[in-house]
Amino acid sequence: FAPFESTISRDNTTMSTNVLAITEDTTHKLLVAQSHVGAENVDSRMQRYVWSKRVDGQHIINLQYTWDKIVMAARIIAAIENPKDVAVISARDWGQRAVLKFAHYTGVTPIAGRFTPGTFTNQQQQKDFKEPRLILVTDTRLDHQAIIEASYVNVPTIAFVNTDSPLHYVDVAIPCNNAAPQSIGLIYWLLCREILRIKGKIPRNQEWEVMPDLFFWRDPTKEEEKPQEEDFSRNQTESAPSGAFEALSNQPDNLNTNASSQDAAWTGNAASNASFPANNSSTSAEADSAWSNLN
């Protein structure tokens, strides 16, 4: 399956080009992000995208199909003149940041969070009503409302699908792990980079300056805990009185004076206690003589 291989004739010479083929660096990124790890179950229509099955029951997705579908989806999105006519949807929390970043760099319309029913079908919703020419969804289960409404108005659908994802009303399926934050962010990053390359905004022989980490979901609770910890340590340092450091600097001399006085007192007590054995011996001798006189 290599639909993008072609030959170009120039000055009666034929050369083979495959600039859209997957590179080693891209494959490494997909493996690190666990984009090839599927689910334990397999849908009958997703069987052709499965490469093998691990011992623990997880199915492995063929990354060649993943990349080919990414390129196909990028060519479809880049062919639309107005990027605002493309709606990118993610009801899953892990894909909302990636959707917003994808919309920032490509100019598409993002729908991050809950999808309002009737967005594509109810024209009375003047605030949320949209008429896209193409939609891109992150999960076919969580984004099923958008897929169903798009089928009502005859809008094609591109979707990220796992091995157990349903493919109803999906026109272009991108097989990948859509249950991992890093995998979702990386697929959106690769798709965004490919769109920009097709449009000529970034060259293919150079790396894109935007890192894939910007598309990854971040836990807001962990991000809030870090400033609180820094503020707590800063407040602890600032709450110490100004004279505390001077007292601490003078404290070793006081400690030495107290230690020397305590040593002298202990030495005196030890000297006085040293006479106890002699007194005890004389007392025992007098007691022995008195006992012998009684006998």
Side-chain angles (χ1 to χ4, degrees):
F1 183 73
F4 304 116
E5 293 184 357
S6 60
T7 57
I8 299 177
S9 178
R10 182 181 299 174
D11 298 332
N12 296 329
T13 60
T14 303
M15 60 180 180
S16 176
T17 61
N18 195 12
V19 294
L20 300 179
I22 187 171
T23 61
E24 183 178 356
D25 181 66
T26 303
T27 306
H28 179 71
K29 286 184 173 65
L30 291 170
L31 292 174
V32 171
Q34 300 292 315
S35 299
H36 64 291
V37 180
E40 294 183 359
N41 300 326
V42 179
D43 189 88
S44 60
R45 285 170 291 185
M46 289 294 297
Q47 187 66 42
R48 56 180 176 175
Y49 299 117
V50 176
W51 180 68
S52 66
K53 184 177 181 179
R54 296 194 311 193
V55 179
D56 58 355
Q58 300 288 336
H59 290 83
I60 304 300
I61 300 174
N62 192 337
L63 292 180
Q64 182 62 48
Y65 288 107
T66 302
W67 174 252
D68 292 339
K69 288 303 185 71
I70 289 175
V71 175
M72 181 184 296
R75 297 176 67 181
I76 295 173
I77 297 174
I80 297 178
E81 297 179 0
N82 186 8
K84 293 293 183 181
D85 292 337
V86 180
V88 186
I89 305 166
S90 177
R92 185 186 291 272
D93 295 339
W94 298 343
Q96 294 179 11
R97 180 183 176 87
V99 164
L100 295 176
K101 290 294 183 181
F102 182 83
H104 173 72
Y105 290 106
T106 58
V108 301
T109 302
I111 303 178
R114 179 180 178 273
F115 180 83
T116 305
T119 301
F120 299 154
T121 56
N122 188 1
Q123 298 182 3
Q124 295 181 357
Q125 296 181 359
Q126 298 180 0
K127 181 178 179 181
D128 298 330
F129 180 72
K130 296 178 176 60
E131 293 181 301
R133 296 179 58 188
L134 175 69
I135 66 170
L136 171 63
V137 299
T138 306
D139 193 336
T140 55
R141 282 194 173 90
L142 296 180
D143 303 322
H144 67 280
Q145 182 67 29
I147 297 175
I148 293 175
E149 291 190 10
S151 66
Y152 291 163
V153 294
N154 197 23
V155 173
T157 301
I158 302 174
F160 296 171
V161 293
N162 209 329
T163 57
D164 59 346
S165 299
L167 298 180
H168 299 291
Y169 309 114
V170 175
D171 299 284
V172 177
I174 302 178
C176 63
N177 182 6
N178 62 356
Q182 291 78 13
S183 176
I184 295 174
L186 181 62
I187 297 298
Y188 270 111
W189 182 83
L190 292 173
L191 185 59
C192 181
R193 185 187 67 174
E194 191 62 29
I195 292 173
L196 296 179
R197 285 179 174 178
I198 292 174
K199 291 185 176 181
K201 295 183 178 181
I202 57 175
R204 289 189 175 275
N205 55 0
Q206 295 181 5
E207 288 291 333
W208 192 22
E209 59 183 5
V210 178
M211 301 298 294
D213 300 356
L214 295 177
F215 287 70
F216 293 170
W217 176 78
R218 298 180 182 179
D219 191 356
T221 58
K222 293 182 179 180
E223 296 295 331
E224 291 177 358
E225 290 176 358
K226 292 180 180 179
Q228 291 179 0
E229 294 177 356
E230 295 176 357
D231 294 340
F232 177 76
S233 59
R234 189 181 302 108
N235 292 334
Q236 289 290 83
T237 305
E238 294 177 355
S239 62
S242 58
F245 297 100
E246 297 178 0
L248 291 174
S249 61
N250 298 329
Q251 190 173 1
D253 298 336
N254 298 331
L255 291 176
N256 294 333
T257 304
N258 294 333
S260 59
S261 61
Q262 291 177 0
D263 293 340
W266 182 84
T267 306
N269 294 333
S272 62
N273 293 333
S275 60
F276 289 164
N279 297 333
N280 292 338
S281 61
S282 61
T283 304
S284 61
E286 293 176 356
D288 293 339
S289 62
W291 180 260
S292 60
N293 293 334
L294 291 176
N295 295 331

